[in-house]
Amino acid sequence: MDNRMDQGGWSRRRFVGAMAGTAAVVTVPAPAAPPPDPAPVPHRRKAEPGPRPLYLGTYTSVEGGGKGVTVAQYDPVTGAVTDAQPLAEIPDPSYVTVHPDGHTLYAVDEREDGAVTAVRPADGQVLGSRSTGGSGPCHLSVHPGGRWLLSANYGSGSVAVHPVDASGALGERTALVTHSSPAPGPGQQGPHAHQFITSPDGGHVLSVDLGTDTVYTYRLDTEHGTLTEVSQAHTRPGAGPRHLTFHPNGRYAYLANEVDDTVAVCAYDPATGRLTIGEPQSSGATGDATNYPAQFVVTPGGDFAFLANRGDNSIARYAVEEDGARLRLLDTVPVDGDFPRQLALAPDGRLLFTANQRSGTVSVFHVDTGTGALSRAGEPFASPVSVCAVPL
């Protein structure tokens, strides 16, 4: 990848976004001592009748960008997206998520002086913003208990924790950890935390760092909101890991490596929080354009995984085999858009959404739950500089 992309810290993310079959199968071994009671596989939720909210994030500080967080409506049966309305004028809300109770939405403010903002979706009231203590926050998630917000600062390579009160508002930061070791990977000038999530068992939180080629595992003190590092998992040098997505059984996860255009199956041990990264395999990209894998999603039953490929502008479709230990590439499907930055499944797993940054659209696909086959659900929906789409 062009080394210029890392110059200027977190702005590399915008540089990447603004630029105008069957493959090898890799299996990783199961953890040496799997838990006696693995996390249960969730049941598919039946699509509720009537329109459902689709929250959209964008960049506001680029030409043609949006004006903040937008909420549209989607039909859970047909996949049609309509009636987009502004929700909150947040600066550069490039990633959004919703509290487990559905009453509060959180967005990053991906600026040099990074922040996270809480919004009440019912009426669009902004409940306040808090500093993340770093630059260019690009990802956030809510701990399953609902009391802590986790965020990743891409520019400064750090992760932060904020308390969530009963109203959904955020308190002062309780933790800030910078990824100071190991040293940055080839072509990188520093750490770049790209994601911060909770493991399915709830016992650990994991951060993916593109700059150090490392996935860090921490234990979160759920009383005080502090972090203690317990392990590190390293990719091969220069892989540039971006996003990690767990299989529903909680013992395996799938890693998208942005820089070297590969993916990997990872084994996860809930007892220790240790992640073991398997050998790299194909992202499915076959075109002439440079490709940057963005994100995996896994169907609720754990039978299929989908990968967003920016550059190739496709969704790679994988069969998940051996209880999650193996990914087998089935095919790729064009997204009918340019630069699919993010993927999301509807709660019942029957619709797949892609936020296409360069074309300013959201594409929607029907998912065949038996085969994983994708079929387009109408024309893409226009959404300026769409970089995040979250269906409820």
Side-chain angles (χ1 to χ4, degrees):
M1 179 179 288
D2 191 333
N3 289 346
R4 293 176 300 164
M5 292 182 183
D6 195 58
Q7 295 172 2
W10 65 274
S11 61
R12 171 190 178 280
R13 285 173 39 81
R14 303 213 192 173
F15 183 89
V16 171
M19 295 167 56
T22 301
V25 173
V26 176
T27 305
V28 297
D37 296 306
V41 176
H43 295 290
R44 294 184 179 92
R45 288 202 293 178
K46 185 178 180 181
E48 299 178 12
R52 302 287 299 158
L54 176 69
Y55 296 104
L56 302 168
T58 183
Y59 283 118
T60 60
S61 60
V62 300
E63 183 177 355
K67 298 185 181 299
V69 177
T70 300
V71 58
Q73 302 295 318
Y74 76 94
D75 186 305
V77 177
T78 68
V81 181
T82 57
D83 195 29
Q85 300 291 332
L87 179 67
E89 291 189 7
I90 298 170
D92 291 322
S94 63
Y95 201 91
V96 300
T97 193
V98 178
H99 191 280
D101 67 13
H103 296 158
T104 313
L105 175 144
Y106 301 98
V108 299
D109 307 359
E110 194 179 326
R111 297 290 181 93
E112 186 65 30
D113 185 12
V116 285
T117 298
V119 180
R120 192 164 60 201
D123 57 9
Q125 181 179 344
V126 175
L127 303 178
S129 299
R130 297 287 185 176
S131 169
T132 60
S135 62
C138 64
H139 183 270
L140 78 176
S141 62
V142 182
H143 187 266
R147 294 182 52 202
W148 305 101
L149 183 74
L150 314 173
S151 58
N153 292 309
Y154 181 87
S156 52
S158 58
V159 291
V161 180
H162 288 82
V164 177
D165 70 19
S167 73
L170 300 171
E172 289 292 342
R173 188 176 63 247
T174 56
L176 179 67
V177 177
T178 299
H179 296 155
S180 58
S181 177
Q188 304 294 328
Q189 304 303 312
H192 292 308
H194 218 305
Q195 184 189 31
F196 199 18
I197 59 172
T198 306
S199 61
D201 59 278
H204 298 89
V205 292
L206 296 91
S207 177
V208 179
D209 195 296
L210 181 149
T212 61
D213 293 324
T214 300
V215 180
Y216 300 83
T217 299
Y218 299 93
R219 187 171 293 280
L220 171 69
D221 183 323
T222 55
E223 291 299 318
H224 304 97
T226 55
L227 297 170
T228 302
E229 183 179 312
V230 297
S231 69
Q232 296 182 6
H234 305 289
T235 67
R236 65 180 181 179
R242 176 186 173 94
H243 269 262
L244 183 78
T245 302
F246 277 91
H247 187 274
N249 68 16
R251 292 179 55 206
Y252 296 97
Y254 312 112
L255 186 64
N257 294 318
E258 174 180 319
V259 178
D260 73 354
D261 189 19
T262 64
V263 303
V265 179
C266 306
Y268 174 72
D269 184 350
T272 63
R274 183 171 297 279
L275 193 77
T276 302
I277 300 174
E279 292 299 313
Q281 64 184 98
S282 173
S283 68
T286 58
D288 294 331
T290 302
N291 186 62
Y292 309 99
Q295 179 184 2
F296 271 109
V297 293
V298 181
T299 55
D303 300 319
F304 300 97
F306 303 107
L307 172 72
N309 278 317
R310 299 167 298 162
D312 193 60
N313 292 339
S314 65
I315 302 169
R317 183 172 66 106
Y318 295 85
V320 178
E321 300 175 338
E322 298 184 11
D323 293 326
R326 188 167 91 158
L327 287 180
R328 178 166 57 89
L329 180 63
L330 298 174
D331 57 21
T332 59
V333 177
V335 296
D336 199 22
D338 193 357
F339 225 65
R341 173 76 166 263
Q342 180 251 0
L343 289 180
L345 285 163
D348 67 353
R350 296 179 183 275
L351 292 173
L352 178 68
F353 298 78
T354 73
N356 307 315
Q357 181 175 355
R358 293 184 191 168
S359 57
T361 57
V362 175
S363 299
V364 187
F365 296 85
H366 293 288
V367 181
D368 185 311
T369 57
T371 66
L374 300 176
S375 58
R376 199 176 69 182
E379 295 298 317
F381 178 76
S383 178
V385 193
S386 181
V387 292
C388 186
V390 179
L392 295 191

